[in-house]
Amino acid sequence: MKIAVIGGGAAGIMASITAKRLNKDLQIDIFDANKSVGKKILASGNGRCNISNTEITSKNYLGEDPSFVDFALKEFDFKAFEKFCKSIGLLLDIKESSKVYPLSNEAKSVTKLLELALNTLDINILCEEFVKEIKKEDNKFSILSNDIWHKSYDKVLISSGLGAAPQLRSSEIGLNLAQNFNHTFNPTYPSLVGLCTVENFTKELAGVKKECKVSLYVNRNLEEQILGDVLFTSYGVSGFAILDISQRAVFALSNYMDVELRINFFPNINANDLANTISSLFKSADSLIDELVVDVLAGLIPNKLCKVLLDISKIDLNAKIKDINTKDIKKLAYNLNEFKLKIEDTQGFAHAEASGGGVRTVEIDNKTYESKLCSNLFFAGEVLDIVGNRGGFNLHFAWASGYLAGKSLAKP
């Protein structure tokens, strides 16, 4: 039996290894656009490869139907993944945060061992192959790649991902291939990505980084709150808290909703106590009475933030401590607790760690990952309308969905 796997990422590699281990008679060809397989694995976790997570549920995923992942997570949980890793010689480092990394702390070790497993199983890897079309005639599939037709495949797995990180030759070709078999897809959008703000003053704040509480408001309703690092940039905001909250923010943007972030620079201090803190700072020494407010505030917040804070609080930049009244102090405290930013866009797919949207899961069997519209056609990984939170969840879904697809590919 002859199998074609379109995309040599985590899902495609897992499916290939699983299938060949179960059925040694399979001939498997992996088509990948890069010079070697697993390029996005190499880029994950800043080169360290946040390979999985020990605490995973469907709550860690977004999509038209996040519960689609339940069966895969049950059949291929973390213990099953750990067992697979041991089978290829990969040891894991499990952090207290539940994030999982290779013990080597290097993504290269992951791809090296996966490639070794593929080669040991005599799985054919075709690199720098750009698949353009798939046809099915007389129950056999033909694949057009680099203007050459590869014929007589019994089964095909599309695991080509989506558009995140196009510099790694990512593309949405999988959606075009799916459409040829009457599949539909939900609009794609960048996920785990920096957010662009309407306000221009973020340029003045570029480089400011602080742990904050970030609240996401969609159409003026509170949607989510996250505590973590916020990094101001020339285009808007980034940092771990922003990447995490970007998933729901971008999903809302893609549906033309109003999106606003409210950043609390002092999440452990309420507005009244913060006002008292500011008041105490201003009264801490008689010698400060003739000093500029913007200079004295530097004892509380980053210097770049001082000027912006005065501006949005409508306090003169040249105001001195003696010019400030109780109302002004309350304004400062309020804006430090509710620093509002209107979100208009993202940094785009080039800077995104993952993609949302994709082939609609209602058209895919959640146990076999076979198309409900075309027999012997399978889908796995990011090409499906499932996207995970930051922390190893996207890679784990790729492994899990690839595992189930691989079991299906192995069957006569």
Side-chain angles (χ1 to χ4, degrees):
M1 194 161 61
K2 195 174 176 183
I3 308 293
V5 175
I6 315 302
I13 292 172
M14 174 62 80
S16 300
I17 292 173
T18 301
K20 194 64 182 280
R21 283 178 170 178
L22 292 172
N23 187 344
K24 301 296 184 184
D25 295 327
L26 294 180
Q27 177 188 329
I28 301 177
D29 294 338
I30 299 177
F31 294 79
D32 195 84
N34 285 290
K35 292 182 180 180
S36 60
V37 294
K39 283 293 185 181
K40 289 184 86 172
I41 297 173
L42 279 174
S44 65
N46 292 320
R48 295 172 57 213
C49 192
N50 184 183
I51 197 170
S52 183
N53 197 295
T54 60
E55 301 291 335
I56 305 179
T57 71
S58 58
K59 292 180 180 179
N60 298 115
Y61 296 90
L62 290 176
E64 184 178 2
D65 178 20
S67 67
F68 176 83
V69 307
D70 285 339
F71 185 78
L73 299 183
K74 178 184 176 182
E75 290 296 299
F76 196 77
D77 58 10
F78 175 71
K79 287 185 178 179
F81 175 66
E82 188 175 32
K83 182 179 179 180
F84 169 79
C85 289
K86 286 182 180 178
S87 76
I88 63 170
L90 180 63
L91 301 181
L92 302 176
D93 181 15
I94 303 171
K95 304 294 187 182
E96 288 184 11
S97 64
S98 76
K99 293 179 182 179
V100 180
Y101 295 85
L103 191 59
S104 65
N105 205 38
E106 188 177 52
K108 286 182 180 179
S109 62
V110 179
T111 54
K112 183 177 181 179
L113 290 169
L114 288 171
E115 281 192 76
L116 183 62
L118 291 170
N119 292 330
T120 300
L121 290 166
D122 199 26
I123 292 169
N124 190 28
I125 303 172
L126 303 171
C127 293
E128 295 189 281
E129 292 283 341
F130 298 88
V131 175
K132 293 182 179 178
E133 189 177 349
I134 301 176
K135 289 183 179 179
K136 187 180 184 183
E137 295 176 334
D138 300 326
N139 290 322
K140 295 286 186 178
F141 293 92
S142 296
I143 295 168
L144 178 63
S145 178
N146 293 1
D147 298 322
I148 297 174
W149 283 99
H150 302 257
K151 299 182 178 181
S152 300
Y153 289 101
D154 298 284
K155 295 180 181 182
V156 172
L157 168 66
I158 297 176
S159 54
S160 51
L162 289 174
Q167 64 272 23
L168 300 177
R169 294 187 175 176
S170 299
S171 75
E172 297 190 348
I173 185 60
L175 302 183
N176 296 335
L177 299 176
Q179 282 185 301
N180 289 340
F181 295 94
N182 298 314
H183 277 281
T184 57
F185 62 89
N186 288 320
T188 60
Y189 55 89
S191 186
L192 301 176
V193 66
L195 300 175
C196 302
T197 60
V198 171
E199 295 81 6
N200 289 323
F201 56 64
T202 56
K203 294 179 181 178
E204 300 174 45
L205 297 174
V208 171
K209 184 178 181 180
K210 195 177 187 303
E211 184 173 81
C212 305
K213 182 172 75 174
V214 183
S215 301
L216 170 66
Y217 284 79
V218 176
N219 290 344
R220 298 184 179 181
N221 295 314
L222 179 61
E223 183 80 9
E224 186 177 15
Q225 289 185 316
I226 287 177
L227 182 68
D229 287 341
V230 174
L231 172 65
F232 286 87
T233 68
S234 58
Y235 59 82
V237 282
S238 187
F240 290 144
I242 300 301
L243 295 182
D244 287 341
I245 216 162
S246 72
Q247 293 193 294
R248 295 188 185 278
V250 181
F251 182 77
L253 282 177
S254 68
N255 286 284
Y256 307 100
M257 297 178 181
D258 181 74
V259 177
E260 180 183 74
L261 297 184
R262 297 182 189 178
I263 297 174
N264 186 342
F265 288 97
F266 295 91
N268 297 319
I269 308 175
N270 63 43
N272 286 332
D273 289 342
L274 184 56
N276 291 333
T277 299
I278 295 171
S279 180
S280 296
L281 174 65
F282 288 172
K283 295 175 181 178
S284 61
D286 292 337
S287 60
L288 296 180
I289 195 168
D290 289 318
E291 296 294 331
L292 293 176
V293 174
V294 69
D295 291 334
V296 177
L297 277 175
L300 180 70
I301 56 177
N303 188 58
K304 287 183 178 181
L305 180 56
C306 296
K307 293 180 180 179
V308 173
L309 179 63
L310 289 183
D311 187 36
I312 64 175
S313 301
K314 301 189 184 309
I315 297 174
D316 193 294
L317 290 178
N318 295 313
K320 296 181 178 180
I321 296 298
K322 64 184 179 182
D323 302 322
I324 297 300
N325 56 37
T326 301
K327 185 177 179 181
D328 293 327
I329 290 174
K330 287 184 176 181
K331 282 182 187 177
L332 294 171
Y334 173 79
N335 286 320
L336 284 170
N337 273 167
E338 292 257 344
F339 194 83
K340 298 177 181 178
L341 296 170
K342 184 173 175 59
I343 304 304
E344 63 177 355
D345 204 350
T346 76
Q347 268 199 293
F349 287 105
H351 299 278
E353 294 184 14
S355 297
V359 174
R360 297 184 66 212
T361 51
V362 69
E363 300 168 355
I364 309 297
D365 188 302
N366 74 322
K367 294 181 174 61
T368 64
Y369 281 73
E370 185 175 13
S371 164
K372 293 179 181 179
L373 308 180
C374 177
S375 60
N376 293 324
L377 177 66
F378 300 82
F379 294 86
E382 192 177 26
V383 72
L384 294 168
D385 182 20
I386 290 292
V387 63
N389 299 149
R390 183 179 60 87
F393 300 104
N394 281 299
L395 265 179
H396 191 90
F397 175 67
W399 305 126
S401 59
Y403 170 75
L404 290 182
K407 288 181 66 177
S408 300
L409 293 173
K411 295 178 180 178

